[in-house]
Amino acid sequence: MKTRNTLQKNIILEQARRLHHPTAEEVYEAVFQVHPSISRATVYRNLKRLSEEGAISHVRLPDGADRFDSMTQKHYHIRCTECGRVFDVDMPYFSGLEDKIADKHGFDVNGHDITFVGLCPDCKIKKKRGQ
Amino acid sequence: MKTRNTLQKNIILEQARRLHHPTAEEVYEAVFQVHPSISRATVYRNLKRLSEEGAISHVRLPDGADRFDSMTQKHYHIRCTECGRVFDVDMPYFSGLEDKIADKHGFDVNGHDITFVGLCPDCKIKKKRGQ
DNA sequence: ATTTATGCAAATCATTTGCACATAG
DNA sequence: CTATGTGCAAATGATTTGCATAAAT
């Protein structure tokens, strides 16, 4: 099946790129501002297609809704336990990590993900203020 | 609030420990065999309590339902992309990993998780047979 | 006796799907 | 023209919650 170039798809890509690790819902809200007849299903479908086509990447985290990222190279993420926001981690990617475990388990290891959790700078300040 | 020792809680712990990285649904099914009046809500509530109390650990993965693990020390997991089963990874825990990123982001980093994905030995065989 | 836990059904949250209609190629 | 995409509403899957009743301390 060849994929088409629709108005909706373009706006969704634009907003997914403009926002910072948005969830599908956040993309929906942004697209809604400029194209109010958009439906959530269209946003979900296009985010899926766009990541299959490699225009964005689909970030699945161990908690909460999936997010989308304009940075398509492999890298790690950190999630704030307080506000839930997600940031890129500036740490080199462990390209050799898979090989270290393959033999021990008999798995064909295809990839890995590292997710850090912690308290982001903004939430640290809010917490300090609160007490 | 102090937590009570109920029949249900004991059976849930026993089954969660006996099974291998079960989902809540798998625990429910196992408990149902011995105590058919069990409700899913009770299973979810007790798995949550048991992991808060440290009897089991709550494993959140970037895909699919949460799982529970009798191995309560920190360690990594690998998930088969074909059958979805989860296994422990026999690789030393990176205890110093958080420190490496803290300064660059202003986060208070509290932990990390590594999830590997790949094809498990059983699914490798099934795939080979299928073609 | 009092408080916590259970079972049920309904609610919630993220995401997917079926289907009739619209539109890009 | 015809296949692919859209919008809607309903379905799905995982998990949580409100509430009346039951059981543990």
Side-chain angles (χ1 to χ4, degrees), chain B residues 80 82-85 119-131:
Chain B
C80 178
E82 200 67 18
C83 64
R85 285 184 302 165
L119 200 59
C120 77
D122 292 357
C123 290
K124 256 200 278 187
I125 293 168
K126 277 179 203 153
K127 264 208 164 159
K128 205 178 286 172
R129 221 188 273 142
Q131 329 206 335

Side-chain angles (χ1 to χ4, degrees), chain B residues 6-123:
Chain B
T6 66
L7 177 59
Q8 288 86 335
K9 188 178 182 184
N10 291 327
I11 303 174
I12 289 165
L13 176 57
E14 186 185 343
Q15 296 307 316
R17 284 200 168 136
R18 192 180 59 78
L19 298 165
H20 146 110
H21 295 102
T23 59
E25 180 64 24
E26 287 163 349
V27 174
Y28 169 77
E29 281 158 20
V31 174
F32 185 87
Q33 302 304 309
V34 6
H35 189 82
S37 65
I38 196 75
S39 118
R40 271 183 189 76
T42 299
V43 172
Y44 275 96
R45 279 186 288 234
N46 276 297
L47 289 172
K48 193 179 177 202
R49 274 171 218 154
L50 288 163
S51 54
E52 282 161 1
E53 294 167 9
I56 55 176
S57 78
H58 187 163
V59 182
R60 295 159 215 264
L61 297 163
D63 222 14
D66 290 5
R67 293 172 175 272
F68 297 87
D69 195 341
S70 40
M71 244 287 271
T72 54
Q73 289 140 282
K74 294 189 171 194
H75 62 283
Y76 306 126
H77 295 96
I78 183 162
R79 202 191 68 249
C80 178
T81 47
E82 200 67 18
C83 64
R85 285 184 302 165
V86 171
F87 301 84
D88 288 333
V89 168
D90 178 21
M91 186 180 82
Y93 191 75
F94 289 137
S95 353
L97 203 52
E98 280 88 10
D99 308 337
K100 296 204 170 130
I101 63 156
D103 47 318
K104 301 191 193 171
H105 302 273
F107 253 83
D108 278 352
V109 190
N110 298 134
H112 74 271
D113 258 299
I114 306 187
T115 308
F116 292 88
V117 290
L119 200 59
C120 77
D122 292 357
C123 290

Side-chain angles (χ1 to χ4, degrees), chain A residues 84-103:
Chain A
R85 285 184 301 166
V86 171
F87 301 84
D88 288 332
V89 167
D90 179 20
M91 188 178 82
Y93 191 76
F94 288 139
S95 354
L97 204 52
E98 280 89 11
D99 308 336
K100 296 203 171 130
I101 63 155
D103 47 317

